[in-house]
Amino acid sequence: MNVIGKVTVLPRLPQAVARLEELAYNLYWSWTPRAQELYSELDPVIWERFQRNPVRTLLEVPAERMAEVAADPAYLERYRAVLADFDAYMGLTDTWASRNAASLQQGGVAYFSMEYAFHECLPIYSGGLGVLAGDHCKSASDLGLPFTAVGMLFRQGYFTQLFNKDGWQQERYDELDLTTLPIRPARTASGDEARVSVRVAGRDVALRVWQLQVGRIRVLLLDSDVPENSEDDRKLTARLYGGNQELRIQQYLLLGIGGVRALRALNVPASVYHMNEGHAAFMALERIRERVAAGLDFRAATEAVASATLFTTHTPVPAGNDAYAYDLTDRYLGEWAAQLSTTRDELYELARQEQFWDNRWVPSFSMSVFALRMSRAANGVSELHGEVSRGLWNFLYPGAEQDEVPIGHVTNGAHNLTFLAQPFRDLYSTVLPQDWTERLEDKAMWQAIREIPDAELARTQHTLKTEMISFVRSRLKEQLERNGASASDVAAAEQVLSPDALTIGFARRFATYKRATLLFRDKARLSRIVNNPERPVQFVFAGKAHPADNPGKAFIQEIYRVSQEPEFQGKIVILENYDMNVARHLVQGVDVWMNNPRRPLEASGTSGMKASFNGAPNFSVLDGWWREGYDGKNGWPIGDEREYADLNVQDDADSFSLYRTLEEQIVPLYYRRDAQGQNHGWLDTVRQAIITVNPEFSMQRQVIDYTRNYYLTLNTRHDEVEADGAQLARNLGGWKAWIRQQWPHTSLQASAQLPASVQPGEQVTVAAQVNPAGIADGELRVEAVLKRGETLSRVPLESRGQGRYEASIPLEDSGLYSIGVRMMPTKEGLGNEFELGLIKWA
Ligand SMILES: *Cc1c(COP(=O)(O)O)cnc(C)c1O
């Protein structure tokens, strides 16, 4: 059959429970276990079989069962309670944003990301980046921000991971049945299904726009699988991170350009644009095109667009930073220079990064460079990652010190409620104020967790660990049965792991820098730890490798093989198909969360936060968030705070530290009992993890940081730049072009009268002679730069006329000073003084 359209017809629900349909289409349920229970109770088997998807469950559950619950007073009471909470949530007007971000109400934030993890039934994510984006949306809803997200609807998702008999990862691609997902076609004001189209290498690709309701905010998802497209184009949005560079760049065009068009088609106001990773950078092309079509020149349009844009970079690993050779770029961006009224050279210059490819240096079009140039604010995702990113992109700002590179940081968080087990929510509710879920970032509030008695805390953890273990057992059984294992092996799966043993979780993408097999560097020592009869330790692993990442798959296989060895059997296990569901079970059920990436490549990491939300302390390399989160009492570090030149030495040092901390600290503390038979010392660490990690690494804190540090300033800047027909954008665009043209003709000489030694407080005179090449006095900043150890200070030299500049500089502290003089163009209205990347040193 030639299908021209599909439509979902939900069964007519009994009146008493009619709103189950409305609730099913709002992902509010994804962080509300009580809401999920309303559906799982209808039929637990159906619920589990269809990835805990409420829409699908409503489609599958027979009418008789619906009639039954509609007549069940206990069910109806739970139903009413959930809906009352839902209505209160949706109707709340006194939100954080209404009190703290009122200026955003006129416009709002448009957030673009290639992947989103909201829930396992919508598998349009691969890992941490997606979880972060999904969580960001959820907290934007919680805080009441005017916010719309844009992404892609990948019909085959990322992939389902299966292990074969040898523990080798297999990928299975299942076609999602969109009609059973909690999404609906987005409709324009006139009621039509929204459609946009993007020109890709000479073809017009049509996109359907779906919408996903996430609490109070909306996510628009683009889908090229529509009848008007060719067979090949229908597959463009089939898979996340599938295919080659050609496919990727086409997907990026659809996301960036199609995404902006979708916002326009649906009349979504936006004054701030947030690029989550460089994948989204092409949004700038479309926004510049719009402005050029409305009469601005290319440079002014670029200023206007960049001034309202934030770029978040997520990884220092090259595989995460796409760059294209110019011939490939020409195929896909060939038509754009003309549309933007500029030249190919000028456009490509904005994304240029030299690459050492095939033994020679060639220019490339880098998505990250383009994103940096197309934004006036940029950030990394932890303090250390901010620093690493400033180093990585220093070359775009020649003459700037690494610390001056205009990239800041907002440390990642995670959406507490999405990952918090219901029993913990209940337990926390006994000591926290009634509105605790609305002020998760409030550190003082969390102190009350100390009042939770040992016994209750221990009981809750034990219950959740037992649940997690039974989940692991049933998953392993499925896997063994599928692979044709013997009946005795299948039966053995019923016995793996003990709820009384110290249980350590390790789950993440199997990118090699995450060093999933570090634990196995000394297997004899590991065996002694695991097999200690009085104080046993067990490990649960999970994680996907990218389909093309054979070294990552080899890691999985190595863990799988270790898990089959007699001395580790049932004590080290690896689970298939790490997804949101597996993640929730693990972070809620393990005692300790372990992470040992090769510092400083982790950027942030977030899974450890989720574990500590649920009372599992972290045991991790001091990289990313843990470098900030570790306070000496809420978990344990692995290795030292340093980098290594020799990776083998680093692996040895870190694994040595790992074993030793396990043997000498973690295991003894876990098994120590006081006179009451309680492990009070351990539970204090647990409480400390809950108290410190929940507020500081809540997604709520993260989105508040983004709003305060970036969204509000960009929003103000947007207003300034757009005022009077974008006058400031025109001025800046023209001025920058003139400065760039004059800059090569400027010159700078400097001198300093420096005695051999100076007493603290004495002054030295620094002077410079400038040829400004026509650049006005006030538009040059000539300055002395003083470096003493790690501290850098900048002292402006004053103009004395005729290109002469001078200053007397007091040297307050003792020490060795290095003094230099440099100049840079400056102007009122610049986003920051380094954005031109023009700095000249004497
Ligand atoms: C949280 C999460 C991640 C990211 O965890 P990291 O600590 O960054 O490795 C990846 N996948 C899933 C399913 C998650 O829930």
Side-chain angles (χ1 to χ4, degrees):
M1 166 169 113
N2 181 24
V3 182
I4 57 156
K6 287 188 186 182
V7 59
T8 313
V9 181
L10 281 181
R12 200 179 294 280
L13 299 175
Q15 193 51 41
V17 292
R19 292 188 67 201
L20 284 176
E21 176 180 340
E22 176 193 343
L23 186 61
Y25 281 97
N26 189 322
L27 264 74
Y28 171 84
W29 55 256
S30 69
W31 63 89
T32 315
R34 292 271 184 256
Q36 293 167 29
E37 283 162 21
L38 293 178
Y39 301 93
S40 64
E41 271 182 64
L42 298 175
D43 189 327
V45 175
I46 287 176
W47 174 252
E48 287 298 326
R49 183 181 319 141
F50 297 109
Q51 286 76 43
R52 291 149 297 278
N53 169 359
V55 172
R56 184 68 189 256
T57 302
L58 291 182
L59 283 165
E60 300 287 336
V61 170
E64 307 82 74
R65 174 65 187 144
M66 295 308 305
E68 225 170 84
V69 297
D72 173 356
Y75 184 91
L76 289 177
E77 193 177 323
R78 290 192 291 276
Y79 168 84
R80 284 189 209 107
V82 168
L83 280 156
D85 285 349
F86 176 56
D87 288 339
Y89 179 86
M90 295 301 288
L92 198 66
T93 50
D94 178 24
T95 60
W96 180 89
S98 73
R99 294 188 299 273
N100 298 281
S103 62
L104 272 173
Q105 297 296 338
Q106 297 294 318
V109 180
Y111 180 91
F112 282 53
S113 177
M114 188 71 170
E115 50 171 311
Y116 291 92
F118 295 107
H119 186 260
E120 59 269 20
C121 73
L122 198 58
I124 54 173
Y125 60 95
S126 88
L129 182 71
V131 179
L132 193 84
D135 282 2
H136 195 110
C137 295
K138 290 172 180 174
S139 284
S141 164
D142 295 341
L143 294 168
L145 274 186
F147 185 96
T148 305
V150 177
M152 312 277 273
L153 187 63
F154 298 104
R155 296 220 172 196
Q156 300 182 357
Y158 184 47
F159 64 89
T160 301
Q161 179 197 49
L162 304 168
F163 299 152
N164 71 10
K165 275 206 276 293
D166 306 316
W168 191 254
Q169 169 178 301
Q170 318 273 305
E171 296 95 29
R172 196 182 71 203
Y173 292 91
D174 303 310
E175 193 83 16
L176 290 172
D177 181 353
L178 303 193
T179 58
T180 65
L181 294 179
I183 55 173
R184 283 184 161 137
R187 292 187 185 278
T188 62
S190 54
D192 299 326
E193 281 190 14
R195 278 281 209 284
V196 296
S197 141
V198 177
R199 231 173 139 65
V200 178
R203 302 148 5 232
D204 285 315
V205 177
L207 295 168
R208 184 204 307 267
V209 186
W210 296 88
Q211 71 172 25
L212 176 70
Q213 197 66 38
V214 179
R216 291 184 278 239
I217 68 110
R218 194 153 65 132
V219 184
L220 306 178
L221 297 172
L222 309 173
D223 168 18
S224 73
D225 191 3
V226 292
E228 50 270 49
N229 286 337
S230 69
E231 278 307 308
D232 283 346
D233 287 343
R234 294 181 77 148
K235 292 194 193 108
L236 284 175
T237 56
R239 293 181 186 178
L240 170 64
Y241 306 141
N244 54 13
Q245 281 201 316
E246 302 258 350
L247 178 64
R248 290 280 188 96
I249 194 171
Q250 296 181 69
Q251 291 184 336
Y252 298 158
L253 284 166
L254 299 183
L255 173 66
I257 295 158
V260 172
R261 292 185 181 163
L263 292 172
R264 305 296 184 256
L266 295 164
N267 273 323
V268 177
S271 49
V272 174
Y273 290 78
H274 188 168
M275 301 170 175
N276 188 45
E277 209 26 299
H279 309 145
F282 290 149
M283 67 151 82
L285 292 177
E286 173 63 4
R287 290 165 55 216
I288 295 171
R289 190 197 61 75
E290 293 175 329
R291 308 310 299 270
V292 167
L296 287 188
D297 68 30
F298 173 69
R299 287 163 188 163
T302 305
E303 288 303 319
V305 163
S307 70
T309 308
L310 167 66
F311 167 48
T312 300
T313 173
H314 286 268
T315 179
V317 179
N321 288 285
D322 303 87
Y324 300 108
Y326 277 1
D327 57 344
L328 191 150
T329 315
D330 286 341
R331 276 205 288 291
Y332 295 101
L333 297 190
E335 296 176 7
W336 276 91
Q339 288 197 62
L340 305 184
S341 277
T342 182
T343 61
R344 173 185 185 269
D345 285 354
E346 192 171 20
L347 182 60
Y348 286 15
E349 194 55 35
L350 292 169
R352 184 186 170 109
Q353 183 176 14
E354 299 293 323
Q355 308 279 353
F356 197 67
W357 281 341
D358 294 334
N359 276 319
R360 62 197 178 95
W361 287 99
V362 288
S364 73
F365 189 102
S366 154
M367 296 300 284
S368 298
V369 173
F370 192 55
L372 281 166
R373 299 265 199 239
M374 290 298 105
S375 54
R376 289 289 175 261
N379 72 289
V381 292
S382 69
E383 189 184 40
L384 181 60
H385 178 240
E387 201 177 306
V388 169
S389 302
R390 287 190 285 279
L392 196 63
W393 304 111
N394 204 162
F395 74 92
L396 294 176
Y397 308 89
E401 297 290 316
Q402 180 173 330
D403 286 349
E404 295 174 328
V405 171
I407 300 177
H409 79 272
V410 172
T411 303
N412 281 347
H415 191 253
N416 309 61
L417 298 187
T418 292
F419 295 98
L420 201 50
Q422 184 65 43
F424 271 114
R425 280 171 84 143
D426 296 341
L427 185 62
Y428 295 172
S429 293
T430 62
V431 294
L432 295 179
Q434 213 191 342
D435 64 346
W436 68 275
T437 58
E438 282 161 43
R439 46 192 182 107
L440 296 159
E441 76 285 2
D442 182 343
K443 290 186 190 169
M445 175 188 83
W446 283 94
Q447 292 296 331
I449 292 294
R450 295 202 197 284
E451 296 159 24
I452 297 179
D454 283 351
E456 286 183 39
L457 189 53
R459 194 175 330 114
T460 307
Q461 285 198 301
H462 197 266
T463 307
L464 285 162
K465 179 153 54 162
T466 308
E467 276 175 24
M468 184 270 291
I469 290 174
S470 90
F471 172 78
V472 169
R473 290 173 178 170
S474 75
R475 281 298 182 91
L476 286 178
K477 234 177 91 181
E478 261 172 50
Q479 176 190 334
L480 288 165
E481 282 168 353
R482 191 189 66 239
N483 284 332
S486 68
S488 68
D489 281 351
V490 175
E494 294 283 12
Q495 304 300 321
V496 305
L497 304 179
S498 153
D500 299 315
L502 170 60
T503 307
I504 300 181
F506 180 106
R508 52 193 38 87
R509 285 185 305 113
F510 275 59
T512 42
Y513 73 86
K514 298 198 181 228
R515 296 191 296 185
T517 55
L518 193 73
L519 181 66
F520 307 124
R521 235 173 141 77
D522 183 346
K523 269 165 69 185
R525 192 165 176 185
L526 176 64
S527 176
R528 289 193 295 277
I529 295 171
V530 167
N531 292 306
N532 182 323
E534 270 90 55
R535 307 190 305 189
V537 180
Q538 54 196 14
F539 292 87
V540 186
F541 284 87
K544 290 178 175 179
H546 184 276
D549 179 11
N550 282 327
K553 291 185 187 179
F555 275 6
I556 292 174
Q557 186 169 49
E558 185 180 342
I559 299 170
Y560 182 85
R561 287 187 172 149
V562 171
S563 77
Q564 305 295 304
E565 292 172 14
E567 59 188 313
F568 295 116
Q569 220 165 23
K571 295 163 185 165
I572 291 179
V573 299
I574 178 163
L575 280 188
E576 285 177 330
N577 204 36
Y578 182 44
D579 67 355
M580 294 278 280
N581 184 37
V582 173
R584 275 197 316 275
H585 278 98
L586 296 188
V587 300
Q588 294 172 359
V590 301
D591 296 305
V592 171
W593 195 257
M594 190 172 83
N595 189 18
N596 47 33
R598 181 167 280 133
R599 192 183 130 108
L601 298 181
E602 179 70 345
S604 171
T606 53
S607 53
M609 304 170 186
K610 307 166 193 169
S612 282
F613 294 167
N614 291 283
N618 269 269
F619 175 37
S620 171
V621 166
L622 292 168
D623 193 6
W625 80 278
W626 187 234
R627 185 176 156 272
E628 296 160 50
Y630 174 57
D631 74 350
K633 291 184 294 192
N634 60 356
W636 306 268
I638 296 174
D640 298 320
E641 246 200 87
R642 55 165 288 195
E643 275 82 53
Y644 294 78
D646 183 329
L647 301 184
N648 220 11
V649 173
Q650 182 173 14
D651 290 355
D652 271 339
D654 287 347
S655 63
F656 190 80
S657 156
L658 190 160
Y659 293 128
R660 194 162 146 171
T661 305
L662 262 179
E663 292 161 345
E664 294 179 4
Q665 298 186 41
I666 302 178
V667 176
L669 186 66
Y670 182 80
Y671 285 104
R672 186 178 305 146
R673 290 289 180 276
D674 55 24
Q676 287 75 44
Q678 262 315 342
N679 46 354
H680 184 76
W682 180 264
L683 293 169
D684 265 349
T685 307
V686 169
R687 273 185 284 258
Q688 186 70 11
I690 295 171
I691 288 168
T692 54
V693 177
N694 267 290
E696 184 63 25
F697 300 97
S698 64
M699 182 51 77
Q700 207 135 312
R701 188 275 306 151
Q702 186 205 292
V703 177
I704 289 173
D705 281 354
Y706 272 103
T707 306
R708 291 215 166 111
N709 301 345
Y710 294 114
Y711 294 162
L712 288 172
T713 25
L714 286 169
N715 189 58
T716 307
R717 177 110 187 114
H718 163 85
D719 290 347
E720 288 166 6
V721 168
E722 296 293 339
D724 303 328
Q727 193 55 47
L728 186 55
R730 290 172 207 265
N731 293 351
L732 283 175
W735 178 76
K736 282 186 183 174
W738 143 255
I739 293 285
R740 279 189 206 290
Q741 180 192 309
Q742 294 309 103
W743 196 248
H745 307 295
T746 61
S747 68
L748 170 68
Q749 275 111 33
S751 63
Q753 293 157 0
L754 302 177
S757 69
V758 186
Q759 297 290 314
E762 263 184 60
Q763 305 202 333
V764 296
T765 302
V766 176
Q769 184 62 44
V770 172
N771 169 10
I775 300 175
D777 249 9
E779 295 184 347
L780 272 183
R781 179 184 166 101
V782 183
E783 64 181 16
V785 178
L786 283 75
K787 226 186 203 173
R788 193 176 60 92
E790 292 289 289
T791 41
L792 191 81
S793 50
R794 305 167 57 194
V795 183
L797 306 191
E798 277 168 37
S799 171
R800 303 272 192 259
Q802 314 253 294
R804 212 179 140 66
Y805 286 78
E806 217 176 82
S808 292
I809 301 170
L811 303 179
E812 306 287 359
D813 302 304
S814 56
L816 177 66
Y817 285 83
S818 311
I819 301 177
V821 173
R822 68 182 179 186
M823 66 177 187
M824 61 184 83
T826 181
K827 187 178 174 66
E828 178 108 69
L830 279 184
N832 73 70
E833 48 192 344
F834 298 101
E835 71 187 45
L836 278 88
L838 297 178
I839 295 174
K840 190 167 275 182
W841 287 85

